[in-house]
């Protein structure tokens, strides 16, 4: 057996798979919904000591979140929870206390994994954070996409008809959820 280094990166692999899934959803979104992908991998690690003078990347990220009417989280699962980059983005967007970019924004979660349970752990850990951040999360339909390695083609498009139909139903429900929550604001 030989060990060595290669150019393959688990982080890049996971990010590209999640980005491909998000792009597939963006292509399927109803005409009334404009989905934008916000990259989080390059955010600096949250540091409470920098709250008074946050890094420019953090300021720009928070501004993009604040402009959004709602947030659709698309996440893989690492160790039965969300990836560190997503947790970091949540922390960056929520601080300093009382100045959260997430406050009151309707949200939904799509968790995606090659395993059978579709990143159930990540989905529910993320829901716990949404409660604290005062983000009303869409309850139904829930989206746990298991077996994702077999549901998408090489270009990242949904290649499974029943999954495509389900995700269309999910996106239509999300559009209605956003409209209902916007009316309450």
């Amino acid at each position: 057996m030989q060990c060595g280094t290669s150019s393959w990166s688990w982080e890049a692999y996971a990010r590209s798979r999640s980005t491909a899934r998000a792009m597939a959803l963006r292509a399927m979104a109803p005409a009334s919904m404009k989905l934008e992908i916000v990259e989080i991998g390059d955010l600096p690690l949250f540091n409470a000591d920098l709250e008074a003078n946050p890094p420019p990347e953090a300021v720009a990220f928070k501004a993009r979140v604040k402009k959004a009417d709602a947030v659709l989280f698309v996440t893989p699962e690492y160790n039965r929870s969300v990836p560190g980059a997503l947790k970091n983005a949540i922390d960056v967007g929520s601080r300093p206390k009382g100045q959260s970019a997430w406050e009151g924004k309707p949200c939904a979660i799509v968790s995606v994994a090659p395993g059978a349970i579709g990143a159930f752990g990540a989905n529910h850990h993320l829901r716990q954070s949404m409660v604290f951040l005062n983000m009303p999360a869409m309850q139904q339909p829930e989206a746990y996409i298991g077996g994702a390695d077999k549901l998408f083609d090489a270009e990242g498009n949904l290649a499974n008809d029943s999954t495509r139909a389900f995700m269309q139903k999910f996106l239509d429900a999300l559009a209605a959820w956003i409209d209902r929550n916007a009316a309450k604001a």
Side-chain angles (χ1 to χ4, degrees):
M1 184 157 96
Q2 199 173 23
C3 294
T5 60
S6 74
S7 61
W8 187 82
S9 160
W10 174 255
E11 179 182 335
Y13 171 76
R15 182 176 7 171
S16 65
R17 288 171 53 120
S18 293
T19 300
R21 284 15 171 204
M23 290 172 66
L25 294 174
R26 182 175 65 184
M28 296 173 58
S32 65
M33 183 185 296
K34 180 184 173 197
L35 296 177
E36 294 180 24
I37 296 173
V38 178
E39 178 58 47
I40 61 172
D42 295 328
L43 280 175
L45 289 176
F46 173 72
N47 181 341
D49 293 339
L50 301 177
E51 284 184 347
N53 190 20
E57 299 89 350
V59 172
F61 173 75
K62 283 186 72 169
R64 283 194 74 187
V65 171
K66 283 182 179 182
K67 280 188 356 183
D69 296 324
V71 180
L72 172 59
F73 293 94
V74 179
T75 185
E77 179 176 279
Y78 296 163
N79 303 314
R80 297 282 189 251
S81 189
V82 297
L86 179 53
K87 176 62 170 100
N88 183 59
I90 290 167
D91 293 344
V92 167
S94 70
R95 303 296 300 178
K97 186 175 181 173
Q99 297 178 32
S100 175
W102 309 110
E103 177 68 32
K105 294 205 180 287
C107 69
I109 302 165
V110 175
S111 54
V112 183
I117 59 174
F120 178 87
N123 194 303
H124 281 263
H125 275 186
L126 190 50
R127 285 178 181 275
Q128 290 173 340
S129 293
M130 301 308 97
V131 170
F132 180 80
L133 295 171
N134 193 29
M135 295 181 77
M138 185 172 77
Q139 300 300 307
Q140 293 293 325
E142 295 176 292
Y144 311 101
I145 309 300
D149 55 329
K150 297 169 188 68
L151 299 176
F152 294 84
D153 64 21
E155 288 78 43
N157 301 306
L158 270 168
N160 179 283
D161 291 338
S162 64
T163 304
R164 187 180 307 106
F166 170 75
M167 290 312 302
Q168 192 64 61
K169 177 182 170 185
F170 177 88
L171 289 168
D172 291 343
L174 176 58
W177 171 251
I178 293 167
D179 288 342
R180 281 194 307 273
N181 277 277
K184 292 178 186 176

